[in-house]
Amino acid sequence: MIILSVKTCSGLDDLNLLSSVCCYWSARVFIATMPGLLLGDVFPNFEAETTNGKIKFHDFLGDSWGILFSHPRDYTPVCTTELGRAAKPSDEFSRRNVKMIALSIDSLEDHHGWTKDILAYNNEESGCAFPFPIIADNQRELAVALGMLDPDEKDKDGMPLTARCVFVIGQDKKLKLSLLYPATTGRNFDEILRVVDSLQLTAKNRVATPADWQPGERVMVPPNIPEEEAAVMFPAGVYTKELPSGRKYLRYTPQP
């Protein structure tokens, strides 16, 4: 338990300082004591203000998959390239029944202004609608609750920034994948789309996808499926690669 000793607040600046200090320490305590969300956990059904209005997360998802990705700050270079890049394949995510939503620790007003810069970065008309909502988390409450803060990356006021998190949530509202990038490294949204393809394929079929797999390529038969069962389950055939160990664990089959 941490107890903060502060002087009586005499004005708005003091209140803002107190709020910042409390937010900072609550973030440090959370990072130090909580393991964060684990794969298979039901994702929190939080409420939040977004550029598309107030949402309750599970209602927002409905029967769709979801991707929630956080950003350190509005009007920053890497974040602008990331949201611009995320907006371009948004139709591809929609085609896969995936709803996208971003989070940044700034106000709705900032978000609305920033999206105009993002559209300009993409060489799109400023009047175009931005394809997904952005959560306003200027008090860092959601960032703290979801373990998104990076204690080593701070803004000009010394407050921790959000790391570049990616959460993929299934139709059952459970966490299927999480990625964590530092503030200095932008994400590859082609890879995130590839991961979604793999997650959706393996959710419906008892297969696994190998390294660098792309949709349409052969997939792998998991080791826990006996040979006799695999022959029935995969009528297109199962190819087993011969190995020096003699173990028959590298088994491939065409993508179902």
Side-chain angles (χ1 to χ4, degrees), residues 204-227:
K204 295 178 180 178
N205 303 277
R206 288 181 66 188
V207 296
T209 56
D212 300 327
W213 172 86
Q214 294 293 333
E217 296 179 351
R218 64 183 183 174
V219 295
M220 308 196 81
V221 179
N224 61 353
I225 300 179
E227 285 190 35

Side-chain angles (χ1 to χ4, degrees), residues 160-196:
L161 296 171
T162 40
R164 301 186 190 279
C165 299
V166 180
F167 295 124
V168 178
I169 301 98
Q171 291 175 302
D172 56 4
K173 308 299 184 291
K174 293 182 179 180
L175 181 65
K176 304 301 182 183
L177 174 138
S178 64
L179 298 169
L180 182 61
Y181 291 66
T184 51
T185 302
R187 287 159 285 196
N188 185 321
F189 283 86
D190 288 333
E191 168 63 6
I192 295 172
L193 190 64
R194 188 192 75 88
V195 164
V196 167

